[in-house]
Amino acid sequence: MAKWTPKHEAPEPLEGPVVATVVGGTILWFVLFVAQIPFYSWFEDRDLMWWVWTCLAGAGLGLIGIWYVRGREAAIKRTAAAEATPAADGGAAADSGATADNGGAAGDNGGGAATDEGK
């Protein structure tokens, strides 16, 4: 059997309203669970209780998913904001921010203070 090699590059992952999608799916699972409650005995008589518990498990896992994707979205926004801040200031604020972050010690900023003094 020959080794599989891709013939083209993989496409970029789709980014969309991930939080809204997960929230919508979680609500759908919970609604399906609630809709099956009146028919509990019918499911039990036919040994189909897994339908009810699958919907409840989907809703529970959806809550974990909501927590996860909200954290992911926040991390993406923090990273984008951190990358955009030095570029918007023209790089001058990045040097002053490096000395402020290390408590004012001039030798700990990776040589930025020495470069600025030589100008």
Side-chain angles (χ1 to χ4, degrees):
M1 178 180 244
K3 181 178 177 183
W4 182 83
T5 56
K7 294 184 174 143
H8 54 82
E9 291 185 30
E12 292 293 320
L14 296 175
E15 291 293 331
V18 179
V19 175
T21 303
V22 174
V23 168
T26 303
I27 291 171
L28 180 63
W29 279 115
F30 186 72
V31 167
L32 289 172
F33 170 72
V34 170
Q36 290 177 353
I37 294 295
F39 306 103
Y40 188 86
S41 62
W42 186 88
F43 286 109
E44 192 173 38
D45 292 342
R46 286 158 180 79
D47 198 28
L48 296 173
M49 289 302 298
W50 64 271
W51 284 27
V52 178
W53 302 123
T54 298
C55 293
L56 185 60
L61 290 172
L63 291 175
I64 295 170
I66 291 169
W67 171 75
Y68 178 81
V69 297
R70 287 186 66 185
R72 177 183 178 268
E73 187 103 354
I76 290 171
K77 286 180 181 177
R78 278 193 310 268
T79 303
E83 289 175 355
T85 301
D89 295 339
D95 288 340
S96 64
T99 50
D101 288 343
N102 64 16
D108 291 341
N109 67 357
T115 306
D116 292 339
E117 290 174 6
K119 288 183 180 179

